[in-house]
Every structure is written in structure tokens, then in C-alpha cells.
């Protein structure tokens, strides 16, 4: 289920980063008194009234031709476009400024719910000063204090009221949702077009052309799919970082909505550190994964090339040892026929259930093959195992003491489960619980 997104917007030095840190419960944004210190949008997860949501801390919006101010406004613009609800922050000590009015004009055009927060109202005597902010045209202003944490509950109550109804959770049917992630210019948009068999996504050699996630439905072999194309994720410090964190956030949201994630890498450039970081997002989210090696036509190949490349992939992506590898060329469409079957297999394994009786037969065979070791003079006893969930498949092993289940033996059990039931393309989670 997609989380709602809240953007904290306002001119520089009204306390946006302080409020952001209060809401997420830790000092994520840099907090200084220097106007404009927050130059990059930062996002995190917050929670209110048992409702989790993503929150974006933007750089301040201020009109002007200075590169920094133009960049910060661009950040705020994309955050506004992405948000379900906007917290518009102003400074209660300074009253309405011309910059506040310019921000308000931008927010009017967004057609998004706006909650007006008057910050730096640090004591009750200052509450009378908030009424002038009605003139901004966003209804009741909420007095808050980022420094002392005052008034945030009332403000968040109003924010949560505006969250859209979440009837758009992943469908409870057989539709397979999959996304493509990867650094810029690895050919994701070309890959989408090759899958669809038509030019539905703009293809360009310019890095970062795709800024937004684009959902496209299609049917193949009587199965329904939804493909989510995402912006490329670029390493920090590269050109025009203004939009890059936004791109990462879109990719993370796409992963949230996916059954299967295609990790796309460039056969010409090989594997770089950023590829592993990007793949880690999908793995940590517990999604099924298929590794796609694109531009396979562009390299010189021998009989050993594919085997040698696979060895490199397995070495660099050890945490994705369950993921199948597909070699193809989106440009020439060679080997494209091998991709969708792997997506289907990964999706089916991601939701596969195993009967407890069969599962425990495998467990008993595993225990006979490799008796449980002792740890600190204590011997682990494994009684039985059961599957408690899917997407990803999740198992509980009931033991005498969970702390005695060493990760190496847990890994052994995972390997035996995979040998018996497959589960190619999906991570597996195993938890130890004490039998009562």
C-alpha cells in the first residue's frame, strides 16, 4: 500500500528542518540559523495516529535568479508535485513577508491540500500574532514551536485528515506489478518499450530523462502485468543533484508497489558500487528480484563471456544469490523473450506457500544431514517449522532458545528449503521463536 506523502514547504529560515526532525524523531536534516542551509530535499518516514507516511523536507522557496535559490525552488516544485498534503510553514515572529506571499502563489496553483503552520510561537502570549496569517488564504493557521515541540499534534491531526483514501493498494487479483530500477542511462526506458512492443515511453541518451514513475498495463500469455518505469538513481555529487533525491524517492515508492523488481545493469560499463546500492533497496524491501543485464549485444562475446559475467554478478551481488540473471538487448530485442517468464516465475515464488507437513519433512532431513551445533556449551533444539506469510515467504522455526540459532545454521536451513521448493527470484525470511 502506497504511503501518503507530506511536503514541508516555505521560504528559507522558517524552521522547516527543525519540524522535519521532530516529526521523524531524529536529527536527519541539518539545522542552522543560516537561511537556505537545507539545499537538498530530504525524505524519511514518520507516523501519526498509527498512520505511516513519507515526509519531504525541502529547501526554502525564494524567487530570484541566483543559482542556489533557483535550485531550491526547483526542489520545492517537485516536492509539491509529489505531495498528497503540503505543510506551508511561516515565521510567527516576523509576520507575513513578500516571500511568504510568493510561496502562497505557488501553492495556490498546486491544487493540493495545504496546512498552514506558524512556527516559532514559543509561548501562549504570542498566539494573538497568528491571526494575520489568515490573509494568506489557507484557512486556520496552526501555531507551533519546533524548538519546544508545541502544537505539532493539532497540526498533524489536520494533515492526516487530508490523506487520500487508500483504495489503490495492490490489487487482490493475479496482476503482477513490476518496476525497473537502476542508475541513469542503463536503458530502462528502452527496455520498457521492448517489453510493450511499442514506443510508449520517451527514449533518450540523456541521463535522467525519465523523472517520474509511469504505470503501464499490458497482457501477455493471458496474464496481466503493470510495469512501473522509474527515474534512474544517480550517485551523490553528480550533475544537477536537485532532482536526484526525488528520483530515488520515486524509485523507492515504485518498489513499495511492486511484486517483482528488475535490477537493470549495463553490460558495457559493468558493475559499479552504485548498482549494488540500488539493488539493496529492493532486497531490503523483501521484493522478488530479477537481475537484467542490458546492452548484451554491445560487448564482444566468446563462449565463456556469459559464464564469466555471471561470476562477477554473483560475486558483487552476494545478497541476491536467489535472483535469476537475464542477458538481453532492449535495442535489438535479442533474448527479450527470456525476461517475462522469469518475472512470472519470481512472482509466483514470491507468494508460494508450503504445507507444514511437507516443510517439516524437509526440516527433519536437514537436521539428519547436519546436526545442530552447540553454542557456548548449550545445544539448540529445533522442534518444528511453519510458514507464516508470503511476499516474501516467511518461516518461523520453533526452538528452545532463539539466541542459539546461529546465522550460519539459519542459512543452511534456507538453502535446504530452496533446494526442496525452489523459491528462485524471491528472498526468504526465517525467524526463531521459543516454544512455550
Amino acid at each position: 500500500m502506497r504511503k501518503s506523502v507530506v511536503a514541508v514547504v516555505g521560504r528559507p529560515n522558517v524552521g522547516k528542518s527543525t519540524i522535519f526532525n521532530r516529526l521523524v524523531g531524529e536529527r536527519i536534516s541539518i539545522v542552522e540559523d543560516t537561511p537556505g542551509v537545507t539545499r537538498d530535499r530530504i525524505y524519511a518516514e514518520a507516523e501519526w495516529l498509527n498512520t505511516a507516511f513519507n515526509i519531504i523536507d525541502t529547501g526554502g522557496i525564494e524567487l530570484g535568479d541566483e543559482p542556489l535559490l533557483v535550485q531550491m525552488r526547483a526542489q520545492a516544485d517537485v516536492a509539491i508535485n509529489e505531495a498528497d498534503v503540503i505543510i506551508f510553514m511561516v515565521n510567527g515572529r516576523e509576520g507575513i513577508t513578500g516571500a511568504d506571499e510568493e510561496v502562497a502563489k505557488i501553492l495556490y496553483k498546486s491544487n493540493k491540500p495545504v496546512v498552514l503552520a506558524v512556527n516559532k510561537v514559543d509561548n501562549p502570549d504570542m498566539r494573538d500574532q497568528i491571526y494575520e496569517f489568515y490573509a494568506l488564504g489557507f484557512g486556520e493557521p496552526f501555531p507551533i514551536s519546533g524548538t519546544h515541540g508545541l502544537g505539532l499534534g493539532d497540526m498533524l491531526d489536520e494533515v492526516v485528515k487530508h490523506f487520500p483514501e487508500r483504495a489503490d493498494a495492490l490489487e487482490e487479483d493475479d496482476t503482477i506489478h513490476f518496476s525497473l530500477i537502476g542508475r541513469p542511462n542503463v536503458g530502462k526506458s528502452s527496455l520498457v518499450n521492448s517489453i510493450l512492443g511499442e514506443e510508449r515511453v520517451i527514449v533518450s541518451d540523456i541521463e535522467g530523462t525519465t523523472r517520474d514513475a509511469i504505470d503501464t498495463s499490458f497482457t501477455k500469455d493471458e496474464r496481466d502485468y503493470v510495469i512501473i518505469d522509474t527515474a534512474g538513481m544517480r550517485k551523490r555529487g553528480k550533475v544537477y543533484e536537485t532532482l536526484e533525491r526525488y528520483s530515488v524517492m520515486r524509485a523507492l515508492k515504485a518498489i513499495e508497489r511492486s511484486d517483482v523488481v528488475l535490477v537493470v545493469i549495463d553490460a558495457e560499463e559493468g558493475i559499479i558500487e552504485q548498482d549494488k546500492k540500488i539493488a539493496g533497496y529492493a532486497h531490503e524491501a523483501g521484493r522478488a528480484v530479477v537481475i537484467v543485464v542490458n546492452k548484451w549485444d554491445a560487448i564482444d562475446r566468446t563462449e565463456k563471456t556469459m559464464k564469466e559475467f555471471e561470476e562477477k554478478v554473483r560475486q558483487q551481488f552476494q545478497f541476491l544469490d536467489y535472483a535469476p540473471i537475464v542477458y538481453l538487448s532492449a535495442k535489438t530485442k535479442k533474448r527479450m523473450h527470456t525476461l517475462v517468464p522469469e518475472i512470472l516465475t519470481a512472482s509466483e515464488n514470491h507468494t508460494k506457500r508450503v504445507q507444514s507437513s511437507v516443510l517439516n519433512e524437509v526440516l527433519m532431513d536437514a537436521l539428519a544431514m547436519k546436526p545442530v551445533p552447540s553454542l557456548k556449551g548449550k545445544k539448540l533444539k529445533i522442534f518444528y517449522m511453519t510458514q507464516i506469510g508470503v511476499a516474501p515467504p516467511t518461516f518461523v522455526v520453533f526452538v528452545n532458545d532463539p539466541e542459539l540459532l546461529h546465522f550460519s545454521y539459519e542459512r543452511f536451513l534456507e538453502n535446504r528449503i530452496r533446494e526442496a521448493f525452489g523459491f528462485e527470484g524471491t528472498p526468504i525470511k526465517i525467524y526463531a521463536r521459543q516454544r512455550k
Side-chain angles (χ1 to χ4, degrees), residues 4-255:
S4 295
V5 178
V6 178
V8 184
V9 175
R11 62 181 174 86
N13 208 33
V14 293
K16 298 185 298 299
S17 296
T18 301
I19 294 299
F20 176 85
N21 295 334
R22 282 275 185 182
L23 297 184
V24 303
E26 56 186 316
R27 293 188 82 244
I28 293 177
S29 289
I30 299 171
V31 181
E32 294 182 11
D33 291 332
T34 306
V37 71
T38 305
R39 300 181 181 181
D40 297 309
R41 188 183 344 44
I42 300 176
Y43 52 90
E45 183 177 294
E47 183 176 317
W48 185 249
L49 300 179
N50 295 319
T51 300
F53 57 93
N54 290 318
I55 185 166
I56 310 171
D57 177 23
T58 65
I61 302 175
E62 185 170 313
L63 299 185
D65 295 329
E66 295 85 348
L68 172 61
L69 299 181
V70 171
Q71 187 183 48
M72 290 197 307
R73 181 176 181 182
Q75 287 181 307
D77 281 342
V78 292
I80 290 169
N81 290 336
E82 180 59 25
D84 296 301
V85 184
I86 298 165
I87 297 175
F88 176 21
M89 283 189 57
V90 293
N91 188 332
R93 296 177 183 173
E94 297 178 0
I96 297 176
T97 66
D100 290 329
E101 293 174 343
E102 295 296 339
V103 174
K105 291 178 182 178
I106 297 173
L107 296 182
Y108 292 148
K109 298 176 183 178
S110 72
N111 294 318
K112 300 288 181 70
V114 176
V115 176
L116 180 60
V118 183
N119 194 24
K120 304 187 181 182
V121 181
D122 298 327
N123 61 71
D125 296 337
M126 298 177 63
R127 295 180 69 89
D128 292 339
Q129 301 176 23
I130 71 169
Y131 296 109
E132 68 170 293
F133 291 99
Y134 275 99
L136 290 172
F138 294 106
E140 179 183 1
F142 288 83
I144 62 173
S145 170
T147 302
H148 302 293
L150 303 175
L152 298 182
D154 291 339
M155 179 193 72
L156 288 173
D157 285 344
E158 185 66 20
V159 168
V160 172
K161 286 180 184 177
H162 294 287
F163 285 172
E165 294 292 329
R166 285 304 169 206
D168 60 343
L170 291 180
E171 288 85 345
E172 296 296 330
D173 56 22
D174 292 332
T175 301
I176 298 174
H177 294 68
F178 67 95
S179 58
L180 295 84
I181 64 173
R183 53 192 169 91
N185 215 29
V186 295
K188 296 187 301 301
S189 294
S190 297
L191 187 56
V192 171
N193 293 333
S194 293
I195 294 171
L196 297 174
E198 57 185 355
E199 298 292 318
R200 292 195 189 181
V201 182
I202 297 172
V203 179
S204 170
D205 290 333
I206 301 173
E207 290 191 355
T209 298
T210 306
R211 291 297 183 191
D212 295 330
I214 304 167
D215 289 9
T216 307
S217 301
F218 70 98
T219 301
K220 185 175 179 63
D221 298 330
E222 300 182 353
R223 290 298 301 263
D224 294 326
Y225 298 83
V226 173
I227 184 170
I228 307 166
D229 184 28
T230 63
M233 289 185 276
R234 190 192 321 239
K235 193 172 183 179
R236 291 183 184 180
K238 296 296 182 181
V239 178
Y240 201 52
E241 192 175 342
T242 306
L243 295 177
E244 294 312 321
R245 291 195 177 193
Y246 171 73
S247 298
V248 173
M249 182 173 183
R250 291 304 299 254
L252 295 177
K253 289 172 60 179
I255 289 170

Side-chain angles (χ1 to χ4, degrees), residues 315-329:
Q315 181 181 8
Q316 296 295 323
F317 294 96
Q318 294 184 26
F319 57 94
L320 292 181
D321 57 353
Y322 54 84
I325 305 172
V326 177
Y327 303 86
L328 52 76
S329 169

